[in-house]
Amino acid sequence: MNLKTMFGIGLVSFGVAFAQEASESATTAPSYSEQQLQQQEEQAAASESLTSPVPFVKPDIPKESRRTQFNAILHGKSYNRNSNMAAANNTDLLLDFPNLFANRKFFYIEPVNKLGIVSLGSFFTAFDISKAPHANDEQLGRLTLGYAVPGFGFYIRAGLGRDRVSNDAGVVSKTYGGDDWAAAIAKGFLGMNVAANVDWVTTKTQTHNDPDNGVETKDRFDSLTVGLSLTNAPTAKNFTWTLGARFVSFNNETEIDGDVQKANDPASFWDVSPYIRGGLSVLENENARILIGGAAIFSYRNYDDPVEQYAFTAVLQPSMMGEVFVGENKNFMFYGEVGYDWVAFQYWKDSDADVSRMMDKMDAVNASVGFRYQYKDFLAVEMGLGQRLFTGIGNFFQADGTFIDFSAMVRF
């Protein structure tokens, strides 16, 4: 049994144990409005009791409170692509903090990104396609299973692609690009949310040849990511922040009898990236508001043998966002955002060649527009259009072009 299989079995055991414990004490949750859900999230985040019922009290919303009519909406992925922390929740944020699924009952479908989510108020599931970095256009479907109660939630996720052939000559095993094991857990405490996640994905198809006679060859094309984040979002007033850090171990090499014989491009590395994100509303009335936000990301990357390189990088990400209700019933909403990705500082050192480089780069702008139509209180559709030139803290100069998103959500 290889290490990745043991890792997967551990994730499944973890999920089953928590689901059994939580299901014994949880009762059937009613369907709540988005405003009631936000009030429950705030009360649960400040409570140490995870399974006791949280009474709903009509909130007295101060003018500067984050709990405005704009934030009482759950959006799809086309909204808040720049991760402005003062904006309303979207489906990506729910998957980052799975305790936010508590008491939400909805069906969400997004055909462009091949994503579907069903939340039953406590149990939730999602189907999507793995998007492994540096993959050779190989994708696998993933299944997510999770459970949430006010103040606590978790999920496990798997996308499997394996092949093993055994004969008289030995064993040849293959793991397809996109094979993925992941888990996340989130808990509310002292008015904040804390979340941790782990993701182990095969970035491209790798082969392990273990013959009875001859040399053993093994590809290592995988990436392990561990993340931790803390946010004041449940009880934030006008300013919302998130502190976090991410660790990545990326392997891209071939071993022969346990020794690295070929270092591929990009070379294997490990990376530590602490960050801070924030956002606040600067102009707002009952029909429109403008948000500004920003992020600062710091990264130290060390490349593995036989490459002797390391790099320090600092990235700044200021952004602006506007949204407006249209019509007397406020069934239409238009939103737009623009973000700037500035590699403010990068120092790179190659010890083998005795070469170093310092640089900064200001050429990555992304912008998008979208609209939302809601019919009564149970059906909503969204569409977004834009271009994004920066794909995350691990891919500083990677362009992925124009995108278009379409999604629909039915609430119960």
Side-chain angles (χ1 to χ4, degrees):
M1 181 179 295
N2 60 33
L3 184 59
K4 197 165 188 179
T5 301
M6 295 174 64
F7 176 77
I9 293 174
L11 290 184
V12 174
S13 301
F14 163 84
V16 171
F18 271 106
Q20 288 177 343
E21 179 180 353
S23 62
E24 291 174 358
S25 57
T27 58
T28 302
S31 179
Y32 290 81
S33 69
E34 293 295 334
Q35 194 78 3
Q36 290 171 313
L37 285 168
Q38 285 195 324
Q39 179 70 6
Q40 280 208 342
E41 289 164 8
E42 294 173 6
Q43 293 173 340
S47 173
E48 291 299 322
S49 176
L50 301 180
T51 57
S52 59
V54 180
F56 171 70
V57 179
K58 185 176 181 180
D60 180 18
I61 304 176
K63 183 177 180 181
E64 72 276 11
S65 173
R66 183 174 183 269
R67 293 182 285 110
T68 67
Q69 56 187 337
F70 293 96
N71 288 86
I73 296 175
L74 177 60
H75 290 271
K77 292 169 68 70
S78 66
Y79 175 88
N80 195 22
R81 287 181 167 270
N82 291 287
S83 299
N84 188 309
M85 300 311 302
N89 292 346
N90 64 6
T91 51
D92 279 348
L93 188 68
L94 264 62
L95 292 170
D96 288 339
F97 293 88
N99 58 327
L100 300 182
F101 276 98
N103 292 338
R104 296 183 188 269
K105 297 181 180 181
F106 66 88
F107 170 66
Y108 175 81
I109 184 70
E110 188 175 350
V112 176
N113 288 305
K114 302 177 183 178
L115 171 65
I117 302 174
V118 172
S119 178
L120 305 178
S122 54
F123 290 98
F124 61 91
T125 185
F127 307 148
D128 72 325
I129 292 291
S130 61
K131 298 178 180 179
H134 311 295
N136 295 335
D137 297 324
E138 297 181 81
Q139 296 182 332
L140 291 175
R142 301 188 297 189
L143 170 64
T144 300
L145 297 173
Y147 184 81
V149 292
F152 175 78
F154 76 94
Y155 71 75
I156 55 176
R157 184 181 69 216
L160 309 181
R162 303 186 170 219
D163 188 13
R164 178 184 172 91
V165 177
S166 178
N167 54 34
D168 294 339
V171 177
V172 178
S173 59
K174 180 184 294 185
T175 304
Y176 294 98
D179 183 272
D180 189 15
W181 294 90
I185 186 171
K187 183 182 184 299
F189 77 106
L190 301 178
M192 296 181 288
N193 267 345
V194 61
N197 62 81
V198 59
D199 190 6
W200 188 3
V201 60
T202 301
T203 57
K204 54 186 176 182
T205 298
Q206 60 185 19
T207 302
H208 181 194
N209 189 351
D210 189 8
D212 292 338
N213 296 299
V215 298
E216 177 185 5
T217 61
K218 182 180 181 180
D219 295 327
R220 297 188 64 196
F221 305 141
D222 55 52
S223 177
L224 175 66
T225 302
V226 180
L228 181 66
S229 57
L230 174 71
T231 179
N232 73 333
T235 54
K237 298 300 182 180
N238 193 39
F239 179 70
T240 309
W241 52 261
T242 295
L243 295 173
R246 189 189 72 165
F247 171 80
V248 177
S249 176
F250 176 77
N251 295 302
N252 190 29
E253 59 195 25
T254 299
E255 295 181 354
I256 299 179
D257 282 342
D259 296 325
V260 177
Q261 297 295 319
K262 180 181 179 182
N264 298 297
D265 187 21
S268 301
F269 64 82
W270 59 266
D271 184 295
V272 177
S273 302
Y275 63 87
I276 180 172
R277 295 185 181 276
L280 73 158
S281 174
V282 292
L283 293 173
E284 182 172 347
N285 59 34
E286 63 178 8
N287 293 314
R289 71 172 177 174
I290 296 176
L291 307 175
I292 61 172
I297 304 163
F298 306 94
S299 170
Y300 172 73
R301 178 170 297 184
N302 188 85
Y303 292 89
D304 296 344
D305 293 335
V307 178
E308 293 191 20
Q309 299 176 5
Y310 64 89
F312 291 95
T313 306
V315 179
L316 302 179
Q317 296 178 316
S319 64
M320 300 178 292
M321 182 176 185
E323 47 192 332
V324 57
F325 286 113
V326 179
E328 294 184 1
N329 296 324
K330 299 183 179 180
N331 289 337
F332 278 99
M333 170 186 276
F334 288 89
Y335 47 87
E337 53 186 306
V338 60
Y340 197 89
D341 298 302
W342 174 19
V343 181
F345 170 80
Q346 186 175 73
Y347 176 78
W348 172 82
K349 174 71 173 179
D350 186 339
S351 299
D352 286 336
D354 194 21
V355 174
S356 62
R357 182 181 71 182
M358 293 183 64
M359 64 169 295
D360 58 82
K361 194 170 185 179
M362 302 176 65
D363 67 345
V365 176
N366 59 80
S368 64
V369 295
F371 78 90
R372 171 189 175 90
Y373 172 74
Q374 180 166 318
Y375 179 72
K376 297 185 177 179
D377 192 36
F378 69 92
L379 175 63
V381 294
E382 291 185 351
M383 178 173 288
L385 175 66
Q387 189 173 48
R388 188 170 178 84
L389 297 177
F390 182 84
T391 59
I393 58 179
N395 305 295
F396 295 108
F397 304 107
Q398 181 175 332
D400 58 359
T402 301
F403 68 83
I404 183 169
D405 288 327
F406 176 80
S407 64
M409 180 182 294
V410 179
R411 294 187 67 251
F412 296 90

